[in-house]
Amino acid sequence: MLPTNFLDELLARLKHRWVTNPQYRAAMSGVTGLVVLIAMCACMGIVSLVTNSALAGAGIGSATGGGAPNVNGVFTPPAEPTFPTPLVPTWAAVSSPSIYLVPNSQ
């Protein structure tokens, strides 16, 4: 029989618990999902940081945050964007038809 090392024993215990204990399976699935989510967010932050630095170094975009410019120390808010929209002509009010009363039957 081959001598086993600690890694083989650890994997054998993990496999045994995974197969026989549904609560362990659920907990480990949750922990694994959480670790993957945090790792994805960390990678996204690192890629964003590297990309922003590269773009700012190339002169594309702004290195500082976007904000309203200060002119002589006075805050000037950005202008409201205007979009040309076609106007619908107003409709003429239609008068309701006259009502004739139906006479009572005899």
Side-chain angles (χ1 to χ4, degrees):
M1 187 187 231
L2 293 173
T4 60
N5 59 14
F6 75 96
L7 191 57
D8 289 337
E9 292 171 4
L10 180 71
L11 288 176
R13 282 193 310 253
L14 174 71
K15 182 179 178 183
H16 177 70
R17 285 185 73 183
W18 185 269
V19 170
T20 59
N21 191 351
Q23 186 177 4
Y24 178 77
R25 224 177 8 248
M28 290 306 290
S29 296
V31 168
T32 304
L34 189 61
V35 166
V36 167
L37 182 67
I38 290 171
M40 285 174 50
C41 290
C43 288
M44 183 90 131
I46 291 169
V47 168
S48 174
L49 181 68
V50 169
T51 305
N52 285 338
S53 298
L55 290 176
I60 302 171
S62 63
T64 62
N70 288 330
V71 178
N72 296 329
V74 178
F75 174 76
T76 54
E80 289 289 324
T82 57
F83 300 102
T85 56
L87 296 176
V88 177
T90 58
W91 294 358
V94 179
S95 61
S96 59
S98 58
I99 300 173
Y100 299 106
L101 295 175
V102 178
N104 291 336
S105 61
Q106 299 297 332

